[in-house]
Amino acid sequence: MTVKVLFVCLGNICRSPLAEAAFRAEAARIGLDAETDSAGTGGWHRGEPPDRRAIAAARRGGVDISHMRARQVRPGDFERFDHILALDADNLANLRALRPVGSRASLSLLLDHVPGREGEPVADPYYGGDGHFDITWRDVTEAARALAGKFAREEAA
Ligand code: 4NP
């Protein structure tokens, strides 16, 4: 079985590309078969690569995200993906509003999957400095480990 996972933030140039990259790396590490993508609830950056500070933070973490391109969430995402992970509460609320009736995709906050960090947002680093992007990378890496481990256990059950 392939688990299909979508990560969603506002612009799809900072947090969700990092979350997708961290999750892909962790899925590969533990042998979890996963299809992944990321998207933004906003469309201002569609077609653009990730923010150069996000590319640099991922590179410091050993992952290349420079090939990624931003896109906006679309109705078909609620059919295509099993799990849609929002990076913060505003984006989760927007996803709930966009979700077509009858969609079976599960919607949740990314850090809800990290024991002890339930309800926390992954803070938006867009108006911050390089250090903020390293915090984002650390947060999404922690979430990726918890999430991939959870999906792997579910697959094994
Ligand atoms: P992201 O960060 O949601 O983590 O990709 C942002 C990127 C762009 C904007 C806001 C947040 N923006 O307002 O353009």
Side-chain angles (χ1 to χ4, degrees), residues 1 6 34 88 95 101 103 115:
M1 272 272 287
L6 179 69
D88 65 29
L95 285 166
V101 173
S103 152

mmCIF file of all heavy atoms in Angstrom, residues 1 6 34 88 95 101 103 115:
data_model
loop_
_atom_site.group_PDB
_atom_site.id
_atom_site.type_symbol
_atom_site.label_atom_id
_atom_site.label_comp_id
_atom_site.label_asym_id
_atom_site.label_seq_id
_atom_site.Cartn_x
_atom_site.Cartn_y
_atom_site.Cartn_z
ATOM 1 N N MET A 1 0.839 -1.201 0.000
ATOM 2 C CA MET A 1 0.000 0.000 0.000
ATOM 3 C C MET A 1 0.876 1.255 0.000
ATOM 4 O O MET A 1 1.877 1.324 0.698
ATOM 5 C CB MET A 1 -0.863 0.029 1.266
ATOM 6 C CG MET A 1 -2.178 -0.704 1.130
ATOM 7 S SD MET A 1 -3.465 0.380 0.499
ATOM 8 C CE MET A 1 -3.778 1.409 1.934
ATOM 9 N N LEU A 6 -0.239 14.887 1.717
ATOM 10 C CA LEU A 6 -0.079 16.260 1.214
ATOM 11 C C LEU A 6 0.186 17.204 2.389
ATOM 12 O O LEU A 6 -0.529 17.153 3.395
ATOM 13 C CB LEU A 6 -1.356 16.699 0.476
ATOM 14 C CG LEU A 6 -1.355 18.122 -0.082
ATOM 15 C CD1 LEU A 6 -0.384 18.267 -1.256
ATOM 16 C CD2 LEU A 6 -2.765 18.529 -0.528
ATOM 17 N N ALA A 34 5.495 5.852 0.119
ATOM 18 C CA ALA A 34 4.662 7.047 0.236
ATOM 19 C C ALA A 34 4.693 7.878 -1.037
ATOM 20 O O ALA A 34 5.720 7.984 -1.703
ATOM 21 C CB ALA A 34 5.145 7.913 1.404
ATOM 22 N N ASP A 88 -0.347 25.045 10.060
ATOM 23 C CA ASP A 88 -0.844 25.837 11.193
ATOM 24 C C ASP A 88 -2.375 25.855 11.186
ATOM 25 O O ASP A 88 -3.015 25.331 10.260
ATOM 26 C CB ASP A 88 -0.241 27.256 11.205
ATOM 27 C CG ASP A 88 -0.663 28.100 10.011
ATOM 28 O OD1 ASP A 88 -1.780 27.888 9.476
ATOM 29 O OD2 ASP A 88 0.115 28.980 9.605
ATOM 30 N N LEU A 95 -8.521 24.691 4.921
ATOM 31 C CA LEU A 95 -8.681 23.373 4.284
ATOM 32 C C LEU A 95 -10.046 22.786 4.617
ATOM 33 O O LEU A 95 -10.711 22.201 3.753
ATOM 34 C CB LEU A 95 -7.580 22.422 4.749
ATOM 35 C CG LEU A 95 -6.197 22.664 4.148
ATOM 36 C CD1 LEU A 95 -5.138 21.895 4.928
ATOM 37 C CD2 LEU A 95 -6.168 22.269 2.674
ATOM 38 N N VAL A 101 -17.716 17.950 0.092
ATOM 39 C CA VAL A 101 -18.539 16.986 0.823
ATOM 40 C C VAL A 101 -18.214 15.581 0.307
ATOM 41 O O VAL A 101 -18.079 15.371 -0.893
ATOM 42 C CB VAL A 101 -20.043 17.300 0.599
ATOM 43 C CG1 VAL A 101 -20.916 16.209 1.199
ATOM 44 C CG2 VAL A 101 -20.392 18.654 1.185
ATOM 45 N N SER A 103 -15.441 13.891 0.852
ATOM 46 C CA SER A 103 -14.005 13.597 0.791
ATOM 47 C C SER A 103 -13.607 12.711 1.965
ATOM 48 O O SER A 103 -14.040 12.933 3.098
ATOM 49 C CB SER A 103 -13.211 14.907 0.850
ATOM 50 O OG SER A 103 -11.948 14.681 1.424
ATOM 51 N N PRO A 115 3.940 13.748 19.963
ATOM 52 C CA PRO A 115 3.517 13.722 21.361
ATOM 53 C C PRO A 115 4.111 14.904 22.141
ATOM 54 O O PRO A 115 5.315 15.174 22.061
ATOM 55 C CB PRO A 115 4.068 12.386 21.870
ATOM 56 C CG PRO A 115 4.153 11.530 20.635
ATOM 57 C CD PRO A 115 4.528 12.470 19.521
#
